[in-house]
Amino acid sequence: MWISLRLIDGSLIRHLDHDKKAQHLVETVSEFARKMHIQTVAEFVDSDKVLNMVKHYQIDYAQGYLLGKPQPTIEAALGLPRPVKKQLTNSVIEPVFS
């Protein structure tokens, strides 16, 4: 099985703006992923400085509070109205195929 996407843990990304070891490790992981044609995702992007570093290391995707707060549902994350729950009634059910 081939890997197509690699998540770079938030414990590295959250300290990227001031931790040289995290910077070296993220750079190495990003370079390796690019060479292997694996896309990367950075977790915990919570400031413009960290986002700029993520871009510098050519990480493909980012997630974190800077980009959007976690939401309880996909609909909420996309700003869509909540789905309406239909209640069952005692009505007659019509066949789909006749």
Side-chain angles (χ1 to χ4, degrees):
M1 177 169 73
W2 291 100
I3 298 171
S4 61
L5 188 69
R6 176 69 183 125
L7 185 68
I8 302 175
D9 192 70
S11 62
L12 294 170
I13 299 298
R14 102 170 38 137
H15 302 294
L16 198 57
D17 58 344
H18 63 273
D19 184 338
K20 289 288 186 193
K21 289 181 183 178
Q23 293 169 8
H24 292 304
L25 188 53
V26 168
E27 180 178 28
T28 301
V29 168
S30 178
E31 286 178 14
F32 175 77
R34 273 194 315 281
K35 289 177 183 177
M36 298 299 293
H37 306 285
I38 299 170
Q39 292 185 317
T40 49
V41 180
E43 285 186 313
F44 266 88
V45 176
D46 62 356
S47 71
D48 287 323
K49 188 171 183 180
V50 170
L51 181 60
N52 287 331
M53 295 185 83
V54 164
K55 291 177 183 179
H56 170 76
Y57 292 123
Q58 299 177 22
I59 296 170
D60 300 294
Y61 302 98
Q63 63 185 49
Y65 276 97
L66 178 68
L67 304 168
K69 289 176 61 175
Q71 298 293 324
T73 65
I74 292 173
E75 291 84 4
L78 297 175
L80 301 173
R82 293 182 70 181
V84 177
K85 293 183 179 180
K86 294 184 178 180
Q87 293 185 354
L88 295 176
T89 62
N90 291 334
S91 62
V92 176
I93 300 174
E94 296 291 326
V96 176
F97 301 102
S98 50

